Amino acid sequence: MRTGLPLTADDLALTRFAVSPMWEVVAACRALAADPVPVPHRRWAAQVRPRLAAAGLDRGWLAELVPPHGHLPDFLNPVPDRPVTDLAAELAAIRATGPALLRHDLDCLHADRGNRDGRGGYDGRDGRGGRSGPRLRALEREPEQALRRITAEIEAFWQLALAPYWSRIGAVLEADVLRRARRAAERGSAAVLGELHGTVRWADGTLHLSERHCAVTRIPTGAGLLLVPSVFAWPRLLTRTVSPDPPQLCYPALGAATVWEHRPAPRAEALAPVLGRTRTRLLAELDVPASTTELAARCGITAPAASQHLTALRTAGLVSSHRAGRFVLYARTAVADGWLAALP
């Protein structure tokens, strides 16, 4: 499918970048639903899938709302209101979703399911194409209650699958924005638009997209263009066009694959005289976020001892903790990564 988005001078003037946690949630869910998981994300998927399954999140709202292919619900990606928005603001916007947008998304999701089932036409049970799952029917019957449940699940998913890695993810996303902003200053906005993705081409005042799952149009969307870098969108370009909002293009960030590269702590023992041997070992083991029990087993200490040392590291700003239900995951902070990277 080829689509074109004519851009006026005003649209170019209103083009902006934004880092969006919700776009990463949606793109991460799509990556997990893919068979197979895209190669750059397999190390991450192997780590988070057992946690999500244990928490029941592999068969919850997000699993039903975000299919591996087809329509992505637009209400899950409200327009970010700042260059680097926060998850709480986006969840509040999702809970405030209007009935028209919700109706549109439900119709698209029902139709997608109809196409995948090979049924087409109308389903006698819900009056729309496809077999809708129980959660989609609940969203249709009791939208306010369902939206609260959806955002609660998103928070749990975030804590287990993304928050422990956000220091690395956020650094890649913000670095992408800075690089492209510099490129725009050197060569203009049109040059940046033409370099977003292999399916995107800028010519004659129009942004051309040539991929089946990309569908973006000027009418009836608002003015401007919102560009959202993503680690998990790779290898795709994801789009959102909802009136009266500006079109959104979620594109693979430069350096996205480097997020999951193994980063062993070079000569971490050099920190032992300062932090102590056990705390230094814990920091070195946190190349991958882990629970207290996992870290205790790796370091050969008891869980209470590991918990005590992790609390001290967290107080010092070297470790962050992320709770979702009965899970508590620890991760190195950017400060700790910087310390370890600076070691000779």
Side-chain angles (χ1 to χ4, degrees):
M1 174 187 293
R2 288 185 175 274
T3 58
L5 179 65
L7 295 177
T8 66
D10 287 341
D11 291 323
L12 289 175
L14 292 172
T15 295
R16 64 185 179 93
F17 289 90
V19 172
S20 164
M22 270 311 305
W23 265 114
E24 290 303 83
V25 168
V26 170
C29 287
R30 173 150 282 189
L32 286 170
D35 185 18
V37 172
V39 172
H41 310 315
R42 289 180 186 173
R43 183 168 182 253
W44 164 81
Q47 295 165 24
V48 305
R49 273 179 163 169
R51 302 171 195 157
L52 297 174
L57 298 180
D58 60 332
R59 52 190 182 276
W61 284 95
L62 288 172
E64 188 160 339
L65 286 170
V66 183
H69 306 284
H71 180 72
L72 291 172
D74 292 318
F75 77 86
L76 291 178
N77 294 112
V79 178
D81 60 356
R82 64 196 76 172
V84 181
T85 192
D86 58 73
L87 183 66
E90 293 186 306
L91 294 181
I94 291 172
R95 286 191 289 270
T97 300
L101 178 55
L102 202 57
R103 176 76 275 147
H104 169 75
D105 279 329
L106 284 167
D107 286 343
C108 289
L109 289 168
H110 286 312
D112 273 358
R113 279 149 179 75
N115 291 334
R116 284 198 297 274
D117 290 345
R119 295 167 62 88
Y122 290 93
D123 185 283
R125 182 175 54 194
D126 61 22
R128 292 174 179 81
R131 292 182 183 274
S132 60
R135 290 180 179 83
L136 288 189
R137 296 198 299 273
L139 182 56
E140 192 168 21
R141 291 193 308 266
E142 300 176 310
E144 290 185 11
Q145 183 179 4
L147 288 171
R148 288 195 297 270
R149 291 177 177 173
I150 290 168
T151 52
E153 183 176 303
I154 290 170
E155 288 184 284
F157 179 91
W158 172 266
Q159 291 298 327
L160 288 176
L162 295 180
Y165 306 88
W166 193 250
S167 175
R168 294 183 181 185
I169 293 172
V172 167
L173 300 181
E174 292 185 37
D176 176 275
V177 171
L178 289 175
R179 289 193 196 101
R180 295 186 192 276
R182 187 180 304 116
R183 183 72 165 167
E186 293 170 351
R187 298 192 57 189
S189 299
V192 173
L193 293 175
E195 297 170 354
L196 288 175
H197 191 262
T199 63
V200 176
R201 182 174 59 88
W202 169 263
D204 302 322
T206 299
L207 195 65
H208 299 274
L209 291 85
S210 57
E211 197 161 305
R212 185 179 58 81
H213 54 263
C214 294
V216 59
T217 57
R218 167 56 54 203
I219 299 172
T221 52
L225 181 64
L226 184 61
L227 305 175
V228 184
S230 170
V231 163
F232 292 98
W234 188 94
R236 295 179 171 179
L237 181 80
L238 306 175
T239 64
R240 179 187 189 270
T241 53
V242 175
S243 178
D245 302 333
Q248 296 188 43
L249 300 184
C250 179
Y251 63 89
L254 297 168
T258 65
V259 172
W260 313 125
E261 289 179 350
H262 180 54
R263 303 180 186 183
R267 294 183 53 80
E269 65 271 13
L271 289 175
V274 179
L275 297 178
R277 186 171 299 279
T278 300
R279 292 174 186 176
T280 299
R281 175 71 186 279
L282 286 167
L283 274 186
E285 290 292 336
L286 281 174
D287 176 55
V288 173
S291 68
T292 302
T293 303
E294 291 170 325
L295 291 167
R298 292 181 202 167
C299 296
I301 59 178
T302 65
S307 179
Q308 183 179 6
H309 289 303
L310 288 166
T311 298
L313 291 170
R314 184 179 59 190
T315 301
L318 300 177
V319 161
S320 58
S321 61
H322 310 275
R323 174 180 289 277
R326 64 185 179 87
F327 292 90
V328 179
L329 295 175
Y330 291 88
R332 282 202 307 250
T333 63
V335 173
D337 280 338
W339 278 20
L340 293 171
L343 291 175

